[in-house]
Amino acid sequence: MHQKAPTITPSWALAPLGGLLAGVVTVGIAEFLAGVVQRMGWSNGTPSPVLAVGGAFIDRTPPWLKTFAVDTFGTHDKQVLLGGIAVVLVLLSLLIGWLARTRFTMTLVVFVGLVAVAAAAVTSRPHAGVLDVLPLLVGAVAGLGVLSQWRRNLLAPKASDDRVVALDRRRALLLGGGAALGAVVLGLAGRAWSTGARAVQDARRAFRVPRVARPVAVPPGASVGVSGVTPFVVPNADFYRIDTALTVPQVDPASWRLRVTGMVDREVEIDWQTLLSKPMQEAMVTLMCVSNEVGGSLNGNAIWTGWPVRELLAQAGVRPGADMVLSRSVDGFTAGTPIEALTDDRNALIAVAMNGEALPAEHGFPVRLVVPGLYGYVSATKWLTELKVTTYARDMGYWTPRGWSAKGPVKTSSRIDVPRSGAKLKVGTIAVAGVAWHQHTGIEKVQVRVDSGDWQDARLGTSAGADVWRQWVYEWSATPGHHTLTVRAIDAVGQVQSSVVAPPAPDGSSGYHSVSVTVS
Ligand SMILES: Nc1nc2c(c(=O)[nH]1)N[C@H]1C(S)=C(S)[C@@H](COP(=O)(O)O)O[C@H]1N2
Ligand SMILES: [Mo]
């Protein structure tokens, strides 16, 4: 008589599980080693295969997909992309495991093909070095080892006794599960480790904001004092963040350089200490993202400390004929800025500080550009490393071939912060309030309309300069019923904000912001 052994996992499931284990081991080890390589400062590129593939994907995203992603997922688009990569990896691993049952040569071809694609992504990222593919290769060798062991011992067992096989399976599943868990933990540890690059954290902590001759302050009355209105100066932790970087670049100021190249009399290169020794200025500037929808909150106001770009360009000597500066980030992002905007009296800054502290890593540590009056995508390069003096005819910023206009002056716009759309209000006086902006021109008037009534002047907060948004409040005597409140701004040269409804692409949204409320 022979007793049937308890089956733990049906044999058809064993094969895909082995593939999954091989995939997890490959990625886990690769991500761990990538973290080590980055933490040790051995790489300026993207040794993490997951991030390299994600970055390569972002750079190739067609405009319609990017619009869809931002509309659907907002600023969570990066997490969604990473989640998508994880799902694809799991599916491919299961498939590889399935194939390994019967067609090992085919399995090898698919596996090596995938590794090759990831290696191509890694080596094509900005500043990629030879060391960068090593983590992936080590991970792949380990993953292949796991796969072939799995196949040899479980999928083609020599033992004829079911019971022996079942015991083997139980052991293998436990071992495999443990190994998978270990690989996941390793991989996550590597990721966490790399973003905490010690040199960068230490340098941020050691940073002292340079003294300036004329500090700026918020003028009394700039805030209208209505609760729910965006703070006049937005704290760093709440400041909107937009960039193409899947993880925040970690730039050590000790090895940071800014080079001026292109149409100049002499190339100039400065390091961190040289930059900090320059006479710095402070400026309040409201940054603005071109992707902001009417009523959206992709903007923020901060006090920036930096050295005027104009001074550095003057050192290099701009040649006649140049009309654009292509600024470049460590991660390969570029912005094309009209040369006048960097050399005129608007004091475009090579900024090192934001609201009295070192730039947060998310906002460009150690150095970024801040140019009043232009959308961020054509001006506000974070993790800045190069200024190439050139022409619009010869060069293009990152977003231009992706469906966005080469030039991006900010459009006059205004937003109602309170009350919120859908609010239920009590009859009486309601403070309708928000912000309005037309950077580098300034705001002279804001008007509010209730339903289809006349435009009424709002009270403005004190101006903090043409480059800064302005708060406004309108005391509304609310009557019962459903009402629509609409706002519009008039800039300092008397231009009324455009009522023409336009989407963000290609050069910024327009149209009036409205909220609907119910009063009882
Ligand atoms: N390196 C880099 N800098 C960048 C970007 C980017 O993708 N990469 N995005 C720009 C865009 S589109 C905007 S709106 C601003 C946003 O700056 P913030 O994230 O500090 O608010 O950064 C600009 N600088
Ligand atoms: Mo932006």
Side-chain angles (χ1 to χ4, degrees):
M1 227 16 239
H2 106 191
Q3 200 188 337
K4 188 111 180 90
T7 38
I8 298 167
T9 305
S11 51
W12 61 264
L14 269 181
L17 278 180
L20 190 58
L21 176 62
V24 169
V25 165
T26 303
V27 174
I29 289 181
E31 291 299 325
F32 173 72
L33 292 177
V36 173
V37 163
Q38 277 186 302
R39 175 78 162 213
M40 303 306 283
W42 293 334
S43 163
N44 295 314
T46 311
S48 150
V50 172
L51 296 180
V53 168
F57 184 85
I58 290 175
D59 288 352
R60 285 165 185 77
T61 307
W64 62 264
L65 183 56
K66 130 106 186 161
T67 308
F68 168 80
V70 170
D71 287 354
T72 318
F73 310 117
T75 45
H76 296 297
D77 52 350
K78 287 168 189 164
Q79 287 93 307
V80 171
L81 174 58
L82 288 175
I85 292 177
V87 168
V88 169
L89 276 176
V90 166
L91 292 178
L92 285 170
S93 300
L94 293 171
L95 172 76
I96 283 178
W98 184 250
L99 276 178
R101 269 166 59 246
T102 49
R103 322 174 79 184
F104 205 59
T105 316
M106 169 84 103
T107 311
L108 283 180
V109 169
V110 173
F111 188 91
V112 170
L114 284 172
V115 170
V117 168
V122 168
T123 52
S124 68
R125 297 315 291 154
H127 313 287
V130 277
L131 248 167
D132 287 2
V133 287
L134 216 56
L136 171 63
L137 294 184
V138 174
V141 168
L144 261 188
V146 165
L147 194 62
S148 69
Q149 280 300 320
W150 190 271
R151 186 179 89 104
R152 176 127 32 94
N153 293 318
L154 286 161
L155 303 183
K158 283 157 248 91
S160 54
D161 186 338
D162 277 356
R163 182 182 191 125
V164 172
V165 174
L167 283 176
D168 258 14
R169 276 185 200 171
R170 175 178 291 161
R171 219 169 47 110
L173 282 172
L174 280 175
L175 248 152
L181 196 71
V184 168
V185 170
L186 264 188
L188 291 177
R191 272 297 76 236
W193 220 34
S194 74
T195 46
R198 178 152 315 129
V200 178
Q201 286 178 334
D202 289 350
R204 265 204 92 239
R205 223 170 291 123
F207 177 83
R208 295 285 164 269
V209 179
R211 289 182 177 284
V212 297
R214 272 167 298 141
V216 299
V218 177
S223 279
V224 293
V226 176
S227 110
V229 175
T230 318
F232 191 75
V233 172
V234 179
N236 291 354
D238 302 336
F239 208 91
Y240 84 98
R241 173 190 167 201
I242 291 285
D243 52 63
T244 59
L246 206 42
T247 55
V248 179
Q250 303 290 311
V251 182
D252 183 354
S255 55
W256 173 87
R257 300 285 184 278
L258 174 58
R259 300 195 309 133
V260 186
T261 62
M263 299 168 69
V264 290
D265 295 334
R266 58 206 91 77
E267 293 203 347
V268 176
E269 183 179 278
I270 59 167
D271 62 16
W272 179 236
Q273 289 310 328
T274 311
L275 175 60
L276 292 183
S277 72
K278 300 295 183 190
M280 297 252 165
Q281 303 195 359
E282 227 173 62
M284 203 177 318
V285 177
T286 302
L287 282 194
M288 183 73 216
C289 183
V290 70
S291 298
N292 195 52
E293 303 274 355
V294 171
S297 53
L298 294 180
N299 56 2
N301 183 46
I303 297 173
W304 308 92
T305 313
W307 187 43
V309 189
R310 161 181 79 240
E311 309 280 344
L312 182 60
L313 290 178
Q315 253 182 32
V318 170
R319 290 250 176 93
D323 60 6
M324 186 250 257
V325 171
L326 190 75
S327 53
R328 184 178 296 275
S329 154
V330 287
D331 67 356
F333 170 87
T334 53
T337 311
I339 215 152
E340 328 71 86
L342 299 175
T343 50
D344 68 14
D345 62 1
R346 80 184 68 195
N347 274 4
L349 294 179
I350 302 170
V352 297
M354 178 178 185
N355 292 329
E357 57 171 283
L359 294 174
E362 294 79 6
H363 296 289
F365 183 78
V367 178
R368 77 174 303 168
L369 281 181
V370 174
V371 185
L374 306 179
Y375 290 119
Y377 82 108
V378 290
S379 68
T381 303
K382 307 190 269 190
W383 315 290
L384 178 69
T385 56
E386 186 191 346
L387 299 173
K388 180 186 180 191
V389 179
T390 179
T391 64
Y392 280 99
R394 190 173 307 158
D395 281 299
M396 266 185 222
Y398 182 92
W399 286 111
T400 306
R402 293 171 171 83
W404 297 80
S405 169
K407 297 200 181 175
V410 169
K411 296 179 179 177
T412 306
S413 199
S414 50
R415 177 175 82 214
I416 301 172
D417 286 343
V418 285
R420 301 245 156 230
S421 218
K424 308 252 179 293
L425 307 167
K426 291 263 163 291
V427 172
T429 306
I430 302 287
V432 181
V435 285
W437 58 87
H438 186 192
Q439 287 90 322
H440 208 53
T441 300
I443 293 295
E444 169 184 278
K445 193 182 272 207
V446 170
Q447 297 180 317
V448 173
R449 184 175 66 189
V450 180
D451 301 320
S452 51
D454 294 333
W455 288 104
Q456 308 283 332
D457 288 353
R459 177 172 72 76
L460 288 176
T462 317
S463 167
D467 300 331
V468 181
W469 62 18
R470 212 158 166 189
Q471 288 196 4
W472 57 268
V473 57
Y474 172 69
E475 306 287 344
W476 172 42
S477 307
T479 55
H482 292 290
H483 295 290
T484 302
L485 306 167
T486 306
V487 66
R488 71 175 186 187
I490 293 144
D491 72 10
V493 295
Q495 276 287 323
V496 179
Q497 174 181 342
S498 169
S499 61
V500 176
V501 175
D507 63 357
S509 64
S510 66
Y512 294 166
H513 185 216
S514 291
V515 299
S516 306
V517 297
T518 311
V519 181
S520 57

